[in-house]
Amino acid sequence: QVRLAEAGGGVAQLGGSLRLSCIASGRDSSNNNMAWYRQGAEKAREMVATMTPSGRADYRDAVKGRFTISRDLANNAVYLQMDNLKLADTAVYYCNLAVPGWDYWGQGIQVTVLP
């Protein structure tokens, strides 16, 4: 059974930083893309950042220059360093593991940015 365990969310002040982590178990993720998505209140889930096994990263425009995705392939982990947080970053963040024909999701972790 594949499980994605997220950690590191919480509350930050405007302009502050948080670091999210996600550890995959039950499957080797080293050959698959991993990503972070988020869903704000009454909004659709959106891709925040994604990284291929070779280390190529893509970001949504709103977080470019502020967020950094990284992976530890040996430990089936993906991280999201979030700096210069904005109020609009408040959302539930989800870890994603994409394998052919299926997406695995974490349970979600709340990130709240306060003014």
Side-chain angles (χ1 to χ4, degrees):
Q1 181 178 358
V2 177
R3 181 171 178 263
L4 302 180
E6 298 138 334
V11 179
Q13 294 297 123
L14 183 67
S17 298
L18 286 172
R19 179 177 171 85
L20 304 183
S21 64
C22 172
I23 308 296
S25 59
R27 182 188 178 104
D28 179 6
S29 64
S30 63
N31 293 317
N32 304 108
N33 291 357
M34 293 192 77
W36 289 96
Y37 284 69
R38 69 186 181 188
Q39 187 166 13
E42 300 181 2
K43 295 182 179 180
R45 190 172 297 189
E46 60 187 22
M47 188 276 289
V48 176
T50 185
M51 180 168 272
T52 67
S54 64
R56 191 190 77 213
D58 288 306
Y59 300 91
R60 72 179 302 103
D61 288 346
V63 307
K64 285 180 180 177
R66 300 188 298 118
F67 289 12
T68 303
I69 189 171
S70 60
R71 292 182 65 173
D72 179 349
L73 296 181
N75 291 300
N76 284 329
V78 62
Y79 306 96
L80 187 67
Q81 177 66 40
M82 304 184 292
D83 297 318
N84 190 20
L85 284 162
K86 301 181 178 182
L87 299 180
D89 296 321
T90 294
V92 177
Y93 284 70
Y94 296 89
C95 178
N96 169 268
L97 167 62
V99 304
W102 195 256
D103 280 297
Y104 293 100
W105 296 95
Q107 78 282 2
I109 191 164
Q110 178 70 43
V111 170
T112 301
V113 183
L114 298 178

